[in-house]
Amino acid sequence: MKSIIEPFRIKSVEPLHHTTADQRQAFLEQAGYNLFLIEADRILIDLLTDSGTSAMSTAQWAAIMRGDESYAGSPSFYRLERVARELTGFRHIIPAHQGRAAERILFSVLCRKGQVIPSNAHFDTTRANIEFHGARAVDLPSPEAADTQARLPFKGNMDVPALRQLIAREGAGRIPLIMLTITNNSGGGQPVSMANIREVSEVARQNGIPFYLDACRFAENAWFIHRQEPGYEQRTPKQIAQEMFSLADGCTFSAKKDAFANIGGLLCANDDRLAQQEINLLILTEGFPTYGGLAGRDLEAIATGLQEVLDPDYLRYRIASTAYLGRHIADQGVPIVEPPGGHAIYIDAGRMLPHIPKEQFPGQALAVELYRHAGIRSVEIGTLMFGPAARFELLRLAIPRRVYTQSHIDYVVEAILEVNARKEQLRGLKITWEPPFLRHFSARFEPLGR
Ligand code: F0G
């Protein structure tokens, strides 16, 4: 059979909320044209993020009832530790309340002012956490990623020659760690090949620099390797994930993505001395190391999710359903970052709306119009989010895991094509207020006239 179906059926449902275009215009005005500031029950289809928005399985809900809430020594922690250790091979498995908490602890321990942290591409909170510590976050994407239209298999890779040059220029002593984000979230959700992970790992080792994975979407990355990288066709996603982790010294992980959990994160490390410093800080701000800012029931949900996410039937459906959205809009003339990534489709708003300069935020203009037209929420990933570090003006349509069905996605396709048909009428925005960090979350805007 050619049809790829959702590998689950629905036991519990949540109603969606319809609104009129006039109501949505009023909500936009109240929210200063920032979709983060709109109440979620005024959204019809929410593609803001795939983070913490997954539908949990019956097995996860059952595990939640088993959650042990002991302050110290909870069996739920030891279960998560066993699952995560078997998957990653790391000696220390440190729970945290979400990915950025793990990042903050890691960077507090490792980073000093004036240092440099390279990555294929840092995501927003990672970049902000590094800059908050006075260090510099440097993106080294592969040159292939510069053309959003090129259909190449591993456009999430790091540019290894550029990494070598950076180390030669800065000196290894000024680089406290090298990170690799799998899949590459700010670079279109594109995967990183095993060959690239291995090469970066070797460069790190040669220079005595710790190598960390930002492993939020490790299972989706493993599936792309299984499908596209020679030599991995016969390996299971789990075996591939184990190989990826074996090449690193540690990882940060947001369980809100590829563990189907609504909250949670992990910081993993092999280095005993480093882990002890991390645990000391964890106790100060997150909690005792057998819960790390989470409830015992959350630890159970993560442990179960980490096992479920590696199911080949799930991953086949997941990646195919993202591609379904991508192909249906791209083949009708909407420029997306090609090829479709793992967790999201990214419209190249700079290319779609060439009449809106980047200082007027074409991605945000498109996000606002898609909400006004059809109640769909998406997120700008461009100059608004990253300032001058932005390489493209993108609009991300992130797909929550196991939440929306094909007919929801068909509605999204129809809405995007309708907006695309009158794209010349869209106008940019101007910021009227912004905070000092991570401005996209709370900035307010005014639409520019025609
Ligand atoms: N790293 C990457 C690559 C991410 O995508 C995220 C979160 C984080 C770290 C931080 O994890 O949210 O648990 O603190 N990304 C979400 C998104 C928010 O919408 O892409 P967190």
Side-chain angles (χ1 to χ4, degrees):
M1 296 278 296
K2 274 212 314 290
S3 301
I4 293 177
I5 60 169
E6 286 88 359
F8 50 81
R9 57 184 180 178
I10 296 165
K11 176 172 267 178
S12 181
V13 299
E14 280 182 281
L16 292 181
H17 305 278
H18 282 276
T19 50
T20 65
D22 287 345
Q23 286 174 324
R24 292 193 293 273
Q25 177 57 39
F27 299 149
L28 280 169
E29 286 167 23
Q30 284 162 21
Y33 294 85
N34 186 335
L35 301 183
F36 281 102
L37 304 181
I38 291 187
E39 290 176 34
D41 59 5
R42 295 170 171 181
I43 309 287
L44 183 63
I45 307 266
D46 203 348
L47 307 184
L48 181 69
T49 180
D50 63 320
S51 181
T53 52
S54 297
M56 289 207 292
S57 64
T58 48
Q60 282 181 296
W61 284 110
I64 275 180
M65 281 310 292
R66 199 170 53 195
D68 180 295
E69 303 302 342
S70 303
Y71 187 95
S74 163
S76 300
F77 170 71
Y78 292 113
R79 177 160 175 255
L80 171 60
E81 188 186 47
R82 267 197 308 280
V83 170
R85 192 173 282 145
E86 209 236 324
L87 173 65
T88 66
F90 294 126
R91 286 165 57 80
H92 301 278
I93 309 288
I94 303 170
H97 81 270
Q98 62 182 77
R100 72 197 71 177
E103 290 166 6
R104 187 185 58 80
I105 290 170
L106 176 68
F107 300 143
S108 301
V109 170
L110 272 185
C111 295
R112 297 291 167 264
K113 211 168 161 189
Q115 291 182 327
V116 178
I117 298 164
S119 172
N120 48 346
H122 294 282
F123 198 58
D124 59 348
T125 56
T126 320
R127 171 174 289 280
N129 260 302
I130 290 169
E131 290 171 354
F132 189 74
H133 285 89
R136 196 151 54 87
V138 176
D139 289 350
L140 303 173
S142 90
E144 291 174 345
D147 177 6
T148 60
Q149 302 308 293
R151 294 195 195 180
L152 297 166
F154 290 108
K155 288 169 78 181
N157 283 355
M158 185 186 270
D159 182 343
V160 177
L163 175 65
R164 287 210 174 88
Q165 283 163 18
L166 180 86
I167 297 171
R169 202 169 56 238
E170 300 286 342
R174 286 186 58 200
I175 304 178
L177 75 160
I178 297 170
M179 292 195 86
L180 201 52
T181 311
I182 54 170
T183 57
N184 184 338
N185 190 9
S186 26
Q190 303 289 320
V192 179
S193 69
M194 190 73 85
N196 191 252
I197 300 175
R198 182 168 294 109
E199 248 190 298
V200 173
S201 169
E202 278 163 13
V203 172
R205 199 141 306 156
Q206 284 157 8
N207 289 280
I209 304 171
F211 170 44
Y212 273 66
L213 294 174
D214 176 340
C216 292
R217 301 176 179 88
F218 74 97
E220 292 171 4
N221 201 82
W223 184 255
F224 280 109
I225 290 175
H226 167 70
R227 293 304 293 258
Q228 300 179 349
E229 192 161 352
Y232 288 93
E233 306 84 351
Q234 302 305 324
R235 309 279 299 279
T236 65
K238 182 171 173 185
Q239 290 169 328
I240 294 171
Q242 285 169 324
E243 185 174 336
M244 296 184 327
F245 286 116
S246 75
L247 295 167
D249 299 301
C251 76
T252 56
F253 176 65
S254 168
K256 301 173 72 172
K257 283 87 169 170
D258 269 354
F260 303 116
N262 301 125
I263 195 72
L266 296 174
L267 174 56
C268 304
N270 279 333
D271 184 314
D272 296 340
R273 207 172 55 89
L274 187 69
Q276 192 52 57
Q277 290 175 286
E278 289 167 351
I279 287 169
N280 294 344
L281 205 56
L282 184 87
I283 295 175
L284 192 67
T285 56
E286 289 280 298
F288 193 72
T290 59
Y291 73 87
L294 294 165
R297 53 181 172 267
D298 302 323
L299 303 170
E300 290 280 349
I302 298 168
T304 304
L306 276 178
Q307 293 173 308
E308 285 179 5
V309 76
L310 290 160
D311 174 5
D313 288 341
Y314 161 73
L315 286 169
R316 181 178 302 108
Y317 141 80
R318 169 71 174 162
I319 302 305
S321 60
T322 304
Y324 178 91
L325 170 59
R327 286 273 60 85
H328 277 77
I329 60 173
D331 294 348
Q332 299 294 319
V334 178
I336 64 165
V337 175
E338 294 277 11
H343 66 297
I345 291 300
Y346 298 64
I347 296 179
D348 186 341
R351 185 179 276 259
M352 175 176 166
L353 306 170
H355 60 287
I356 304 181
K358 64 180 200 267
E359 304 73 44
Q360 297 178 11
F361 313 117
Q364 184 67 8
L366 184 55
V368 164
E369 190 51 35
L370 208 50
Y371 174 69
R372 189 186 353 244
H373 182 62
I376 298 163
R377 179 156 68 172
S378 50
V379 72
E380 191 261 13
I381 298 202
T383 295
L384 173 60
M385 183 179 276
F386 290 119
R391 290 181 300 123
F392 303 107
E393 302 303 318
L394 305 177
L395 179 75
R396 186 184 74 174
L397 304 150
I399 307 180
R401 293 169 184 76
R402 308 190 291 207
V403 170
Y404 292 115
T405 63
Q406 187 173 334
S407 57
H408 293 120
I409 298 299
D410 287 337
Y411 172 89
V412 174
V413 168
E414 186 181 344
I416 293 169
L417 296 182
E418 284 176 3
V419 170
N420 188 50
R422 53 179 172 79
K423 62 186 176 188
E424 292 79 13
Q425 294 162 17
L426 268 62
R427 292 292 173 267
L429 297 149
K430 139 175 144 198
I431 292 188
T432 56
W433 180 83
E434 62 182 298
F437 297 109
L438 293 166
R439 64 179 178 174
H440 51 292
F441 290 124
S442 50
R444 298 183 73 89
F445 306 84
E446 214 169 72
L448 292 163
R450 9 212 91 208

